[in-house]
Amino acid sequence: MPNNSPPIFPLSAIPVRGLSVAPSWKPLSANRIRSDLTENAAPDTETESSFSETSHHQHVTLMSFAPPRKKYSTMQFNTTAAPKSALASNVKFLYFFGALGGILFGYDLGVISGVLLFIKKSWHLSSVTQGVIGGCLAAGAVIGAAIAGRITDRLGRRRTIMLAAAVFSVGALGCAVAPNVTVLVIARFITGIAVGCSSATVPTYLSELAPTRARGALSTLNQLMIVSGILIAYIVDWALSGSGNWRMMFAVAAIPAVALLAGMSVLPETPRWLVHAGREEEARAVLAGTHRADEIESEISSIRSVIRLDEQQKGRLRDLLAPWARPALVVALILAVGQQFSGVNAVNVYAPTMFKDLGFGNSTSLLASIVLGAIKVAFTAWVIFVVDRWGRKPLLLLGNVCMASSLFLLGAIVLGVHNHTITGLTTLILLNVYLAGYELGWGAVVWVMMAEIFPLRVRGVGMGVGSVVLWSSTFAITFLFPVMNDHLGLGYSAWIFAAVSVVMFILVQRFVPETNGRSLEQIELELRARVSGKSA
């Protein structure tokens, strides 16, 4: 359950923007794509291609598509070029469903934090069982991320999102009626498959359907709405804490899931998928609803060009081990593992349990979690405005400093102070500092950088590996933290995560280049120099 969790990228597809999602990187213009194509781009050339796809929160340039399929009927925005007012209305419609998909994703990630407070005693959960319940969503997301590419290529983006929404609904209701741990874990795992699939497909759908001028806003919205979904889950948990109705906490997720399913039934397929399927007239009709008349043919031409490039330069998994790609893989693994092993999902999933162990009541513990969720939303919104001014690497390093220092102090307070009131309030303050540092540096920035560091030829498969590693790391942390907390206590657990942040600071300083304002060629040359030990 990657933080804001971040957007997930299938191995079989092509992710790009990346959770991610702090999608501040800019999509290539049609002129830029055509210019790159004339230069016969090599594997390490500065060219954006179909090997770009975003996740839980990221921008996608293109994926590989399915062969032509039978036409189906769906409501288009317009069949002729839309006037400016209609374009604005259509894009707002996309905003709404982009927000709905992100909120649903975030809600399923965050709702379990409150549920665990109420089933821990009644179901006699051990620390291991709590870890299984907390982590099974991420385990399912690994599978969903890995298969999303093939499903979207075959069915299309729209139908894939509808399928994920249906699975969300079934999973939410399955969790709500679960009579025991086994059924709950199975239902959460199934929901996780939808999470992994949707976290890759929703950003892809929005990015491929929206005009270039609106893609950045849509990507930003998706990332922001994921953390907003987590906050909404905390609020619902708190609102129902008086009755202890944890089943309703799960069931609430079915409402946005059904709304998303209904909304997608009247939205069109993306022009890129339609062009690759040989249905250009349908693609033009869709573009007429979101683009100006003078942009339509240019956009169709760009789509054809990128599809050709995709077919010519499709990367394979073993290419990541080649000398020209290995440096990028090293950086991607540092970012993916560091993002999760810093402990963020221990806080996202188990914050109410932490506060309960420190002496807070159920309602107060959930109220404290709402404060943490609000901090996540605020700093995710802030990073959008500073990532291009401050740079990626400084934000990562600043985030590490905030996380390491706050967690070290947290461990010291928990171990050294025995007044529950002081310990509880101090823990709340320090966890807010920790989350501020995380969202500022390691939340959305990681996905932005992962989209920038891979050479063109392996960008898709590289992002796929990075996203699966990230989800696997999410499962590891959400499964292991209850065991760590039970055997080591919160204080020593906090120190372990602080040590990870220190190690990540060193690795970022040593291996990770600054990507802001640099061409892809410049980034790759610096990566090779850093990994080989030469000065950049």
Side-chain angles (χ1 to χ4, degrees), residues 1-4 6 333-348 354 376 396 399-408 410 430-431 433-444 446 470 473-474 476-478 481 484 490 492-505 508:
M1 147 176 125
N3 163 37
N4 321 311
L333 293 178
I334 290 172
L335 296 176
V337 173
Q339 188 193 63
Q340 293 305 309
F341 276 78
S342 64
V344 66
N345 277 304
V347 178
N348 287 342
M354 296 179 193
K376 288 173 68 67
L396 289 174
N400 280 135
V401 171
C402 291
M403 291 189 293
S405 57
S406 59
L407 290 175
F408 177 80
L410 174 59
L430 291 174
L431 285 180
V433 175
Y434 165 81
L435 287 176
Y438 174 85
E439 298 299 344
L440 187 61
W442 285 79
V446 164
L470 188 148
S473 300
T474 299
I477 292 302
T478 50
F481 179 75
M484 292 171 59
L490 179 58
Y492 288 113
S493 298
W495 280 353
I496 291 175
F497 291 132
V500 171
S501 291
V502 172
V503 172
M504 287 300 114
F505 182 95
V508 168

Side-chain angles (χ1 to χ4, degrees), residues 513 518 522-523 525-530 532-536:
R518 300 188 181 189
Q522 291 172 327
I523 293 169
L525 288 174
E526 181 173 346
L527 275 172
R528 293 189 186 200
R530 285 174 177 271
S532 64
K534 301 174 184 177
S535 58

Side-chain angles (χ1 to χ4, degrees), residues 232-299:
I232 291 172
Y234 290 162
I235 294 173
V236 171
D237 288 350
W238 172 76
L240 294 172
S241 62
S243 63
N245 191 348
W246 61 267
R247 296 184 184 277
M248 184 58 67
M249 297 176 187
F250 279 128
V252 167
I255 298 174
V258 171
L260 179 61
L261 179 61
M264 292 305 301
S265 68
V266 300
L267 284 174
E269 182 54 79
T270 70
R272 286 167 173 77
W273 190 86
L274 291 170
V275 169
H276 192 274
R279 295 152 60 174
E280 288 195 8
E281 289 308 311
E282 290 180 66
R284 285 186 174 87
V286 175
L287 288 170
T290 56
H291 291 65
R292 291 188 292 267
D294 59 351
E295 297 175 330
I296 295 175
E297 290 307 316
S298 175
E299 185 72 12

